């Protein structure tokens, strides 16, 4: 009995160590990765990186340590509670959050769930103010740093030995790829599309595929157009689960048993 207990304890410690190192590498905190944004002067600040307040030069995610740890907590919760469904992120940049989700699945020997990697891999779309008035002055499409190719994202997965059949790429604009995506059930829906358009299209296409007990994470809730899309969707669908803040930027909520699903 003691040997078995000791083995399980050691295995859990090794899993925790692996996921901690994976997070640190993906965020760039492991090596003090200098940022490339125009507002930090190229100087690495661990506090800004923890809260995702800069754009890393080399690291695979810009969401910061706090949001990565939230993602880990939610993924581990659905795994440990047998909440059925795949994981998806809509808007992936260099793929870091998706790589982390795949690493979490690997650490739990989960061979059934898939990680969907949804992005245009060409940056954000120009605004369509005639359809989405909230995006009228949006300039995200002008930031070339946000356009990361699918090839580069695949290579990032490969560097961590996490590119396999459980990783599914959905390449293209959300309006074209998400409504007919080959997804039956979701346990994690992580939205990182910045704009009203990208947020509402993902929610409209995917929310009803979430299992009871699954989670929605909204990375850009601090941006007014994104928050407007989320608030209007929740009102329309009668969603009353509380919005839980993460780091002053992002929020999440859990799909309740009374959620209005088909």
């Amino acid at each position: 009995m003691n040997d078995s207990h000791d083995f399980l304890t050691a295995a859990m410690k090794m899993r925790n160590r692996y996921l901690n190192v994976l997070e640190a590498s993906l965020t760039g905190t492991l090596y003090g990765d200098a940022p490339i944004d125009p507002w930090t002067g190229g100087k690495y600040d661990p506090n800004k990186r923890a809260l995702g307040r800069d754009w890393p030069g080399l690291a695979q995610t810009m969401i910061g340590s706090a949001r990565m740890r939230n993602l880990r907590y939610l993924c581990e919760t659905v795994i440990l509670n047998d909440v059925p469904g795949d994981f998806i992120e809509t808007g992936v940049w260099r793929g870091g959050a998706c790589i982390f989700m795949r690493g979490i699945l690997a650490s739990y020997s989960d061979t059934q769930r898939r990680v969907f990697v949804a992005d245009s891999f060409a940056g954000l779309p120009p605004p369509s103010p005639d359809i989405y008035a909230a995006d009228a002055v949006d300039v995200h499409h002008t930031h070339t740093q946000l356009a990361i190719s699918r090839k580069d994202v695949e290579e990032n997965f490969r560097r961590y030995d996490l590119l396999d059949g459980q990783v599914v790429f959905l390449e293209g604009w959300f309006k074209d790829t998400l409504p007919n995506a080959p997804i039956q059930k979701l346990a994690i829906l992580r939205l990182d599309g910045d704009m009203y358009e990208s947020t509402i299209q993902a929610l409209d296409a995917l929310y009803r595929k979430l299992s009871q007990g699954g989670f929605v994470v909204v990375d850009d809730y601090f941006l007014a157009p994104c928050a407007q899309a989320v608030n209007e969707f929740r009102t329309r669908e009668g969603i009353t689960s509380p919005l839980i803040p993460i780091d002053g930027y992002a929020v999440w909520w859990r799909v309740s048993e009374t959620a209005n699903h088909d």
Side-chain angles (χ1 to χ4, degrees):
M1 179 66 72
N2 287 337
D3 289 345
S4 176
H5 180 268
D6 290 345
F7 174 80
L8 289 174
T9 299
M12 287 189 289
K13 286 182 177 179
M14 288 301 296
R15 173 195 291 152
N16 189 59
R17 182 174 297 175
Y18 166 71
L19 292 176
N20 286 344
V21 172
L22 181 59
E23 176 206 298
S25 180
L26 290 167
T27 59
T29 61
L30 185 66
Y31 47 93
D33 176 36
I36 58 172
D37 56 72
W39 59 85
T40 55
K43 183 179 179 181
Y44 173 74
D45 182 332
N47 295 317
K48 286 186 172 63
R49 186 60 53 89
L51 297 174
R53 302 296 199 264
D54 64 4
W55 291 357
L58 297 174
Q60 289 80 36
T61 182
M62 65 170 69
I63 70 175
S65 303
R67 276 172 264 170
M68 287 287 271
R69 289 172 192 172
N70 166 261
L71 180 60
R72 174 178 171 179
Y73 166 72
L74 301 184
C75 290
E76 290 183 314
T77 297
V78 300
I79 292 170
L80 294 172
N81 288 277
D82 295 320
V83 177
D86 297 316
F87 300 166
I88 189 171
E89 184 177 42
T90 59
V92 307
W93 197 48
R94 294 172 179 163
C98 291
I99 294 169
F100 198 39
M101 289 192 284
R102 181 65 190 93
I104 293 168
L105 292 179
S107 75
Y108 279 86
S109 300
D110 187 323
T111 60
Q112 300 303 310
R113 299 180 198 264
R114 296 173 294 173
V115 175
F116 284 87
V117 185
D119 203 290
S120 70
F121 302 103
L124 278 78
S128 300
D130 53 329
I131 305 174
Y132 306 106
D135 290 333
V137 296
D138 191 272
V139 296
H140 281 96
H141 65 288
T142 67
H143 295 303
T144 58
Q145 303 96 325
L146 300 178
I148 307 299
S149 72
R150 174 173 172 172
K151 180 181 178 182
D152 286 345
V153 176
E154 289 177 344
E155 181 58 29
N156 288 337
F157 271 91
R158 192 174 289 111
R159 287 172 177 163
Y160 291 94
D161 194 25
L162 291 171
L163 183 64
D164 60 15
Q166 285 178 252
V167 179
V168 182
F169 284 80
L170 299 175
E171 182 175 3
W173 302 123
F174 294 162
K175 64 184 177 64
D176 300 320
T177 61
L178 298 183
N180 298 310
I183 301 169
Q184 296 301 314
K185 283 285 186 182
L186 286 172
I188 301 289
L189 169 57
R190 191 174 195 285
L191 310 175
D192 195 355
D194 299 272
M195 302 169 67
Y196 183 103
E197 173 182 348
S198 303
T199 304
I200 200 67
Q201 287 175 351
L203 286 168
D204 283 341
L206 300 173
Y207 186 77
R208 291 181 179 275
K209 296 186 178 184
L210 275 161
S211 297
Q212 294 177 0
F215 295 98
V216 180
V217 185
V218 186
D219 192 81
D220 303 303
Y221 192 74
F222 74 102
L223 296 175
C226 173
Q228 180 181 337
V230 170
N231 295 340
E232 289 179 357
F233 181 86
R234 283 169 53 90
T235 298
R236 187 215 313 162
E237 298 296 322
I239 299 168
T240 57
S241 299
L243 286 173
I244 311 298
I246 300 171
D247 60 354
Y249 274 25
V251 297
W252 63 274
W253 79 86
R254 191 167 198 178
V255 180
S256 70
E257 294 183 359
T258 58
N260 181 22
H261 281 45
D262 287 338

